[in-house]
Amino acid sequence: MKRLLPTLRADQTSESLISVINTIQIAAKEISFRLHQGALAGVLGSTLDENIQGETQKKLDVVANQLLKTLLLESPNVHAIASEEEDSIVVSPNSGHYLVAFDPLDGSSNIDINGSVGTIFSILRKPEGEDTGESMFLQPGKAQVAAGYIVYGPATMMILTTGKDVRTFTLDQTVGEFLLTKERAEIPRSTKEFAINMSNQRHWSAPISEYVADLLKGETGPRKKNFNMRWNAAMVSDVHRIITRGGLFTYPWDARNEKKPFKLRLMYEAAPMALLIEKAGGKASDGYQRILDIVPNDIHQRVGVVLGSAAEVDKCLEYHARHSKPF
């Protein structure tokens, strides 16, 4: 089986970009080890701190963030990093050409129950003439030169695109290397599976309420087929299922908190996942526009997300088109 770095070189990926991806895989291996040690390493449970999002941090949130931050800032090819766990960007002492945004440990509420979690990352080129400000990162998702995630489950897997195919690499614990296990991910156009947090149903806008109601009516309803619902409470895990076998994932606008009507972050979650989904043949929208076309106005901006099998995303967007935006 091919190893990660030779596979990238065979694609004629630049050595500087390969170096950044290599740094991420090194951090991922260490995070994977800490996760699989669990209570033996004393890394379970929560801290007493909150991140910039106002969320209580798990111990491994802090560990994973520090690992990625330290290693990336040491890379000669990284100019700055932005993390879901950091208040603002951190500029490297090096003058690299790349910017890296990441969610160090997505789905961390699953850690203490031994559920799947993951790391999501996005790589951008540093704009010419900008060296220190957050505006460097405020680029649309279609400007990403690479994106991916590492899912820490029964196996540790990296799903990666450098703008071409979406490939799957699996960590072989016996040699300590990510090996190519799937050359090209292809998401089926249609599906009978959807993923949504049903506990928020009473807070949804009309489009999502109507869409899900029709799904639940099954073969006796307007969709004329039965759907199954899946929800893993970790975007990485839910998206990985879609990359593997299709489906629809959505975390839409809701009315629980008018100051935070959206859950998922554009730069750390929505944009990198949207690039992977599109490169695998699916679609990704905020309900009203393509996610990869959205220009961030803030490094911690949140957006609605509808992504997955292309035909099912189109069907969901038909419901949105019948209503005005709730925001």
Side-chain angles (χ1 to χ4, degrees):
M1 290 183 178
K2 298 179 183 177
R3 300 189 181 202
L4 174 60
L5 302 187
T7 302
L8 295 176
R9 290 191 177 99
D11 270 353
Q12 298 185 323
T13 304
S14 71
E15 286 297 325
S16 58
L17 181 56
I18 290 173
S19 173
V20 176
I21 294 170
N22 184 46
T23 299
I24 293 170
Q25 74 149 346
I26 291 169
K29 292 174 189 176
E30 181 63 23
I31 294 167
S32 178
F33 174 76
R34 304 275 186 105
L35 278 164
H36 286 103
Q37 287 291 99
L40 299 175
V43 292
L44 301 185
S46 301
T47 69
L48 298 177
D49 299 321
E50 291 186 347
N51 63 13
I52 184 64
Q53 317 294 340
E55 300 162 338
T56 300
Q57 291 177 305
K58 296 289 186 179
K59 291 178 182 177
L60 267 169
D61 281 324
V62 177
V63 170
N65 184 67
Q66 193 59 48
L67 274 167
L68 283 159
K69 177 181 175 180
T70 299
L71 290 173
L72 285 167
L73 292 178
E74 288 175 352
S75 168
N77 295 297
V78 173
H79 181 75
I81 60 107
S83 167
E84 181 180 306
E85 302 295 331
E86 299 283 337
D87 292 2
S88 57
I89 68 167
V90 183
V91 178
S92 167
N94 303 311
S95 55
H97 298 295
Y98 294 105
L99 310 173
V100 185
F102 56 86
D103 179 350
L105 210 57
D106 175 71
S108 56
S109 62
N110 282 350
I111 293 170
D112 294 345
I113 62 166
N114 202 27
S116 293
V117 295
T119 297
I120 309 172
F121 60 91
S122 166
I123 304 174
L124 298 159
R125 285 192 180 87
K126 182 181 80 70
E128 292 293 330
E130 294 189 59
D131 292 322
T132 59
E134 290 186 357
S135 60
M136 291 187 295
F137 283 88
L138 304 184
Q139 303 179 44
K142 61 188 176 185
Q144 295 171 103
V145 295
Y149 63 82
I150 300 96
V151 58
Y152 310 105
T156 295
M157 306 175 82
M158 176 185 284
I159 314 302
L160 172 69
T161 182
T162 54
K164 300 175 184 176
D165 292 337
V166 175
R167 290 191 169 112
T168 300
F169 299 86
T170 302
L171 181 60
D172 184 341
Q173 302 286 359
T174 61
V175 297
E177 294 286 348
F178 279 100
L179 304 181
L180 179 65
T181 48
K182 189 169 185 179
E183 184 71 41
R184 183 182 181 189
E186 294 182 86
I187 299 171
R189 275 192 56 80
S190 60
T191 184
K192 292 184 178 181
E193 285 188 337
F194 71 101
I196 191 169
N197 187 344
M198 288 293 290
S199 68
N200 296 328
Q201 183 176 13
R202 67 193 183 279
H203 303 295
W204 294 340
S205 62
I208 287 293
S209 294
E210 293 172 10
Y211 170 70
V212 173
D214 284 350
L215 297 182
L216 297 178
K217 291 173 184 174
E219 61 186 10
T220 62
R223 299 301 307 278
K224 304 299 183 184
K225 61 180 179 179
N226 294 323
F227 282 79
N228 287 325
M229 196 195 85
R230 300 285 185 262
W231 185 250
N232 288 352
M235 188 186 192
V236 158
S237 187
D238 282 308
V239 169
H240 187 63
R241 183 181 58 254
I242 291 169
I243 291 281
T244 303
R245 70 185 191 203
L248 180 135
F249 168 89
T250 181
Y251 214 121
W253 176 97
D254 67 54
R256 285 175 296 163
N257 182 344
E258 63 179 17
K259 293 183 179 179
K260 292 182 180 179
F262 301 109
K263 171 70 173 178
L264 300 175
R265 292 79 175 177
L266 176 58
M267 281 179 33
Y268 314 117
E269 296 161 320
M273 291 305 202
L275 186 64
L276 289 165
I277 291 290
E278 286 202 7
K279 292 300 179 181
K283 290 189 175 183
S285 170
D286 72 347
Y288 301 93
Q289 64 177 317
R290 180 178 177 236
I291 285 174
L292 293 180
D293 289 335
I294 301 173
V295 179
N297 54 40
D298 179 83
I299 63 169
H300 295 298
Q301 180 181 346
R302 299 172 186 244
V303 294
V305 171
V306 181
L307 59 75
S309 296
E312 195 58 36
V313 171
D314 285 341
K315 180 61 67 172
C316 184
L317 297 185
E318 288 178 14
Y319 288 77
H320 285 78
R322 300 171 193 164
H323 298 271
S324 58
K325 287 185 180 182
F327 53 91

